[in-house]
Amino acid sequence: MNTATAEEFDLVVVGGGPSGTTLATLVAQGGHRVLLLEKERFPRYQIGESLLPATVHGIGKLLGVTEELEKAGFTRKLGGTFRWGTNPEPWTFTFAISPKLAGPTSHAYQVERMKFDKILLDNARRVGVEVREECSVNDITKDGDRVTGLRYTAADGAVREVAAKFVADASGNRSRIYKNVGGKRVYSKFFQNVALFGYFEGGKRLSAPRSGNIFSAAFDDGWFWYIPLTEKLTSVGAVVARERADQIQGDPEKALLKLVDRCPEIRDLLSEATRVTEGPYGEIRVRKDYSYCGTEFWSPGMMLVGDAACFVDPVFSSGVHLATYSGLLAARSVNSVLAGEIDEERSFAEFEKRYRREYALFYEFLVGFYDMHHDEQSYFWQAKKVTNTGSASAEAFVELVGGAASGDSSLVGMRLERSAGELAAAVDSVSAQARRDGEQNAPLFKSAIVGEVMQESARVQARAALGDALSDEKPLFEGGLVPSGDGISWAVPVS
């Protein structure tokens, strides 16, 4: 690289999706110079439309977008509803039963990714990230074993060079540069699935308060997702095992409708709907081989975040959660190294250990969840086993699928309540939600643990209101690090 002609940045991020914008924004907030290169022009289509509370209230709070997300008019998601396992009737989980997610943080959103991703990208610009769209990265540059920058083709066709202290690959599963960290992608032998999906208008909704929930229904050939994006628009997808992929050959619309007809619950919800056939939602799309994990997540000067590093089966909508969480973890490492506070090896070892742990929690739980010979209580117990938590099994399940199982205080909106009045409102919100869901016969609210959970919810919210929720966070690993007070760097724990 000719450093005399190359621009210089502290961090260059390749990809403007949720992982890239999270990383770029939090490093810019740390006072560093950041460039983000995106190959497309936003808004652009993307799948992965069901968010988790940890993304909305935890990382969204750090990014400064929670109010904007609330004003965007996205469908509120209070939990999820499943026709899954041996229970012949649909069963529902609700985020509000977890003390980590209680009160104002007990919901997420169903989002049109074209709108959601643009909110995050525009926010990155506002905090000082240099964003350049329609830029395609050609290759990275090295000095010995260390990545020192990259070359890219700009929107005007010119090839340009950038020098950087760090390069982050956030360009997704089709990344052209991820191999530069070394290692390889290992595809899951268990989740060898194919997804076929499209969009419908006029689909039915579940009864309130579950009308905004994602509905997942298992059937003989696999399972369906049913995501209410707006009052009229619904995302519908079928996931089938590779050995049954012959059922989605030929005309994709006929294949999808044939699968719909084989799943009674989805067939009923779509009985009065029509498929969208124009615009960005007019195409029937296929995704396959989407469960994988890299053997390396970083090397000197470079890191992988989001789908460039790993992805797991989407039944619990973990894609955007893993993407934004990896962006947060990487940002902490970059900020710590650039500030001269913690060396690169230790900072990025923490990044990789936490990222792999979060991925592994979802992966291990999902392997058990695909066993249809159990009921929901068995799945709750499996979540408790996988997360190794002291929480009750139903709480453990909700915390895992809500993105809060890591125990990372930045993910659970712990700093939202700042006054006694707001605290009281939070506790009232929890109680009111419990009553509403109880009236709808939500199975989880029949449990004897709910009263105790609500009391603990109030205590958690009280600690947050008093500002001491972060004081006792422990490292996840022996000799590991903890989040800094502002959440965007690492700190050495006080012994």
Side-chain angles (χ1 to χ4, degrees):
M1 173 182 289
N2 184 353
T3 55
T5 60
E7 293 182 279
E8 295 185 8
F9 291 87
D10 294 310
L11 169 69
V12 177
V13 178
V14 182
S19 63
T21 50
T22 297
L23 170 56
T25 299
L26 296 178
V27 172
Q29 286 178 359
H32 307 296
R33 192 173 182 216
V34 182
L35 171 66
L36 187 151
L37 301 173
E38 165 56 44
K39 68 177 180 180
E40 298 186 58
R41 171 67 61 178
F42 279 36
R44 56 87 177 95
Y45 173 83
Q46 186 57 272
I47 192 63
E49 299 145 328
S50 193
L51 303 187
L52 305 185
T55 298
V56 174
H57 304 290
I59 292 172
K61 184 70 173 178
L62 291 176
L63 296 176
V65 297
T66 51
E67 292 185 4
E68 189 170 1
L69 293 177
E70 184 175 356
K71 293 177 182 178
F74 296 129
T75 299
R76 283 173 74 95
K77 167 186 172 182
L78 301 181
T81 300
F82 285 80
R83 216 316 286 148
W84 200 278
T86 57
N87 190 340
E89 299 298 325
W91 50 274
T92 294
F93 72 86
T94 307
F95 298 128
I97 76 161
S98 166
K100 291 182 180 179
L101 302 173
T105 65
S106 62
H107 70 276
Y109 298 112
Q110 317 286 16
V111 299
E112 294 180 76
R113 285 287 299 277
M114 289 186 294
K115 297 178 181 179
F116 174 75
D117 288 10
K118 191 172 189 303
I119 287 173
L120 298 190
L121 189 67
D122 289 345
N123 180 65
R125 285 192 178 96
R126 282 195 295 270
V127 303
V129 175
E130 176 72 24
V131 176
R132 298 175 187 171
E133 298 176 84
E134 298 180 290
C135 293
S136 179
V137 172
N138 303 323
D139 52 34
I140 57 96
T141 57
K142 284 187 173 183
D143 182 2
D145 292 333
R146 185 172 189 85
V147 172
T148 57
L150 55 77
R151 296 184 182 89
Y152 72 96
T153 301
D156 61 4
V159 176
R160 297 175 182 171
E161 297 182 346
V162 176
K165 296 174 183 175
F166 289 100
V167 172
D169 182 7
S171 59
N173 66 335
R174 298 182 180 179
S175 166
R176 297 167 56 187
I177 62 173
Y178 76 92
K179 293 182 180 179
N180 288 288
V181 301
K184 61 182 181 180
R185 283 183 182 172
V186 178
Y187 287 85
S188 171
K189 294 181 179 179
F190 186 87
F191 295 110
Q192 295 185 337
N193 298 333
V194 180
L196 180 70
F197 53 97
Y199 296 81
F200 293 78
E201 289 187 339
K204 297 177 184 177
R205 297 290 178 255
L206 302 178
S207 59
R210 296 170 293 166
S211 56
N213 283 7
I214 183 173
F215 178 56
S216 298
F219 68 117
D220 290 342
D221 300 310
W223 64 274
F224 267 95
W225 75 69
Y226 189 92
I227 304 175
L229 296 177
T230 69
E231 289 185 2
K232 295 182 179 180
L233 183 66
T234 306
S235 172
V236 180
V239 177
V240 299
R242 178 184 289 178
E243 57 267 24
R244 300 191 181 187
D246 59 315
Q247 298 189 39
I248 62 173
Q249 300 301 317
D251 184 286
E253 180 173 28
K254 290 181 179 179
L256 180 58
L257 294 179
K258 182 178 179 180
L259 290 170
V260 167
D261 195 55
R262 292 176 61 83
C263 183
E265 293 85 1
I266 301 299
R267 183 177 65 226
D268 177 68
L269 289 169
L270 292 177
S271 60
E272 300 174 6
T274 57
R275 190 177 77 79
V276 178
T277 57
E278 297 180 350
Y281 296 128
E283 179 183 348
I284 300 290
R285 294 176 167 90
V286 178
R287 294 286 188 275
K288 61 181 179 179
D289 294 331
Y290 48 68
S291 291
Y292 56 85
C293 187
T295 58
E296 303 290 341
F297 282 3
W298 74 281
S299 63
M302 185 173 177
M303 71 220 71
L304 308 180
V305 293
D307 294 358
C310 57
F311 189 80
V312 70
D313 187 272
V315 67
F316 280 113
S317 310
S318 58
V320 175
H321 165 66
L322 288 171
T324 55
Y325 187 42
S326 67
L328 168 61
L329 296 175
R332 288 173 176 168
S333 299
V334 172
N335 284 335
S336 297
V337 176
L338 292 178
E341 296 171 347
I342 302 174
D343 65 78
E344 184 173 356
E345 177 69 34
R346 189 176 185 186
S347 293
F348 280 93
E350 188 73 25
F351 153 76
E352 180 159 351
K353 285 181 180 179
R354 287 190 180 236
Y355 192 6
R356 287 192 183 280
R357 179 183 184 274
E358 195 76 359
Y359 176 87
L361 287 176
F362 279 95
Y363 187 95
E364 185 178 347
F365 175 71
L366 284 168
V367 170
F369 193 71
Y370 262 74
D371 186 342
M372 297 294 176
H373 298 94
H374 300 289
D375 62 12
E376 59 269 29
Q377 297 300 325
S378 295
Y379 298 137
F380 300 160
W381 178 87
Q382 175 69 11
K384 179 178 173 65
K385 178 183 177 182
V386 168
T387 57
N388 192 29
T389 179
S391 301
S393 58
E395 292 175 62
F397 175 84
V398 170
E399 288 162 10
L400 174 59
V401 302
S406 68
D408 193 320
S409 54
S410 295
L411 296 185
V412 294
M414 298 289 277
R415 294 182 243 182
L416 294 181
E417 288 71 52
R418 298 178 180 175
S419 70
E422 290 174 317
L423 172 60
V427 176
D428 287 346
S429 173
V430 175
S431 300
Q433 185 59 55
R435 289 193 298 271
R436 288 194 295 270
D437 283 333
E439 291 168 359
Q440 291 295 326
N441 296 315
L444 294 191
F445 282 89
K446 297 178 179 179
S447 169
I449 69 168
V450 171
E452 297 177 8
V453 171
M454 295 306 167
Q455 292 176 10
E456 178 60 18
S457 299
R459 288 193 290 269
V460 170
Q461 298 291 348
R463 289 197 298 272
L466 295 173
D468 66 350
L470 306 180
S471 61
D472 59 352
E473 186 164 349
K474 305 298 182 185
L476 281 180
F477 313 100
E478 183 177 356
L481 304 171
V482 295
S484 59
D486 61 7
I488 65 172
S489 297
W490 295 119
V492 177
V494 178
S495 57

